């Protein structure tokens, strides 16, 4: 079995075995991802203060993980139709365990009211089906392919639209201490604009960086005798003289590019989108905030390392 998983597929059964192993591995990682999602919010809240009062969150990552697995499975089985249920119930689970000072949050609303936020996804699926029908029944591959490409783009827009609109709905129905409410005026168009502009800038900078490293690599490779044979015909010219430096620069350039691109994503995409959400968030009926008092700080030393990041105690 191990040989069938790790070797090149020799038949249909090997392909099925490798696909099964891949999906099993992915499913095994999912609980850790859901653990991390809950603990990440809890950790950030414990390090956040507003008006001098700290936020907090109950230790309940285990309950969140198995619920997330359940709702994630329901969404897959229903081909995404129960995605609003998963979104609402998981957000409610976390919100109902959040605190600001000695006041608790509560998530109100109904999961079915998130369906309007999925309208563009439904339209996109219809466009994709239309494109498939044009190819299958009309034998018009070019036209059908164009329609399906438009459907994929529409589906991506629909995904962003759902994220923004569901955030706005859930935010408007969060209540703090039974009195304080919130509203969000975030725009899906603005979020998409930030993402597209950021992706273009990152692509340009990545291209310039690759050209610089490529030119430097070429110069050093040429000065070390190139990639061909050396004078003795042993084929080691690239590793003589400054050849080792060429390889070292190539490796460092690759690692630097990974780190730099990650930083650029934060600067040009993640941070501006987060800033847009923050700038469009408003507090309604803020008067009762004056009555909220500080609460004892939570001990979250275990959140500083992945081995202790789960609410199950101990380390691996």
């Amino acid at each position: 079995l191990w040989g069938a998983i790790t070797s090149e597929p020799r038949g249909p059964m090997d392909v099925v075995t490798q696909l099964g192993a891949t999906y099993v591995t992915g499913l095994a990682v999912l609980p850790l991802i859901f653990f991390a999602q809950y603990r990440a919010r809890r950790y950030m809240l414990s390090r956040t203060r507003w008006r001098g009062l700290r936020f907090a969150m109950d230790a309940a990552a285990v309950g969140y993980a198995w619920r997330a697995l359940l709702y994630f499975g329901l969404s897959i089985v229903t081909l995404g139709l129960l995605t609003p249920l998963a979104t609402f119930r998981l957000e409610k689970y976390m919100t109902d365990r959040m605190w600001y000072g000695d006041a608790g949050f509560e998530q109100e609303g109904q999961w079915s009211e998130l369906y309007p936020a999925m309208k563009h996804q439904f339209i996109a699926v219809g466009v994709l089906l239309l494109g498939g029908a044009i190819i299958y029944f009309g034998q018009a591959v070019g036209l059908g392919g164009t329609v399906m490409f438009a459907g994929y783009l529409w589906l991506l827009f629909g995904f962003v639209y759902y994220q923004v609109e569901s955030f706005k709905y859930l935010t408007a129905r969060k209540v703090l201490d039974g009195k304080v409410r919130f509203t969000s005026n975030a725009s899906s168009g603005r979020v998409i604009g930030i993402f597209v502009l950021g992706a273009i800038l990152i692509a340009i900078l990545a291209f310039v960086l690759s050209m610089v490293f490529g030119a430097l690599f070429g110069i050093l490779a040429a000065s070390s005798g190139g990639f061909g044979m050396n004078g003795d015909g042993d084929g080691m010219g690239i590793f003589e003289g400054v050849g080792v430096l060429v390889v070292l620069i190539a490796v460092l350039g690759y690692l630097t590019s990974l780190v730099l691109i990650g930083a650029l994503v934060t600067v040009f995409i993640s941070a501006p989108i987060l800033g847009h959400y923050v700038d469009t968030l408003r507090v309604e009926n803020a008067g009762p905030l004056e009555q909220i008092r500080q609460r004892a700080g939570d001990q979250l030393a275990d959140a500083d390392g992945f081995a202790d990041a789960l609410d199950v105690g101990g380390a691996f």
Side-chain angles (χ1 to χ4, degrees):
L1 179 61
W2 178 253
I5 294 175
T6 58
S7 63
E8 290 293 327
R10 300 178 180 178
M13 289 304 299
D14 286 352
V15 174
V16 172
T17 301
Q18 291 183 358
L19 287 175
T22 301
Y23 287 128
V24 169
T25 302
L27 290 175
V29 174
L30 276 179
L32 296 179
I33 294 176
F34 295 137
F35 269 118
Q37 287 178 345
Y38 188 93
R39 286 307 303 254
R41 181 180 293 195
R42 186 179 180 221
Y43 181 82
M44 289 188 292
L45 286 174
S46 69
R47 265 62 178 178
T48 303
R49 289 174 179 265
W50 183 44
R51 298 162 59 97
L53 302 180
R54 67 174 63 90
F55 290 85
M57 195 171 184
D58 296 337
V62 174
Y64 179 83
W66 73 258
R67 285 173 173 82
L69 285 172
L70 173 62
Y71 291 124
F72 180 77
L74 287 175
S75 296
I76 293 178
V77 171
T78 60
L79 301 179
L81 290 178
L82 288 183
T83 298
L85 175 65
T87 301
F88 180 82
R89 292 287 175 82
L90 293 177
E91 180 61 27
K92 179 174 176 58
Y93 183 88
M94 287 198 286
T95 301
D96 291 351
R97 287 158 180 78
M98 290 167 47
W99 297 83
Y100 171 62
D102 59 358
F105 284 87
E106 182 181 359
Q107 181 67 62
E108 297 180 345
Q110 297 292 330
W111 67 271
S112 57
E113 295 179 356
L114 288 175
Y115 274 112
M118 294 188 68
K119 61 183 181 181
H120 287 287
Q121 291 177 319
F122 293 140
I123 296 174
V125 171
V127 174
L128 289 172
L129 292 176
L130 176 61
I134 293 174
I135 295 175
Y136 184 78
F137 296 105
Q139 301 298 315
V141 178
L143 177 60
T146 301
V147 173
M148 292 191 70
F149 179 72
Y152 283 122
L153 293 180
W154 204 327
L155 188 64
L156 292 176
F157 170 76
F159 175 78
V160 176
Y161 183 85
Y162 176 77
Q163 297 297 318
V164 175
E165 293 301 314
S166 62
F167 173 81
K168 291 167 64 174
Y169 174 85
L170 294 170
T171 299
R173 285 153 183 81
K174 282 181 171 61
V175 184
L176 174 61
D177 200 25
K179 305 169 186 175
V180 183
R181 293 185 175 272
F182 309 87
T183 57
S184 173
N185 295 316
S187 168
S188 55
R190 175 60 176 161
V191 171
I192 293 176
I194 292 173
F195 180 84
V196 172
L197 179 60
I200 293 174
L201 292 175
I202 292 173
I204 294 174
L205 292 175
F207 175 76
V208 172
L209 183 65
S210 65
M211 294 296 293
V212 171
F213 275 106
L216 182 60
F217 184 84
I219 293 172
L220 291 177
S223 65
S224 65
F227 292 95
M229 297 290 182
N230 63 7
D232 298 329
D234 58 4
M236 296 297 292
I238 187 59
F239 295 106
E240 293 180 352
V242 295
V244 175
L245 181 60
V246 174
V247 177
L248 181 60
I249 289 179
V251 174
L252 291 178
Y254 174 73
L255 296 176
T256 301
S257 299
L258 292 180
V259 175
L260 183 59
I261 289 176
L264 292 175
V265 169
T266 300
V267 172
F268 292 119
I269 297 179
S270 301
I273 289 177
L274 178 61
H276 175 66
Y277 277 109
V278 173
D279 291 341
T280 55
L281 185 66
R282 299 290 182 269
V283 180
E284 306 291 341
N285 189 30
L289 292 174
E290 302 293 339
Q291 309 301 320
I292 299 175
R293 297 294 178 260
Q294 187 65 282
R295 62 177 275 141
D298 296 327
Q299 299 297 323
L300 288 179
D302 57 343
D304 294 331
F306 180 76
D308 289 318
L310 311 181
D311 284 340
V312 294
F316 293 104

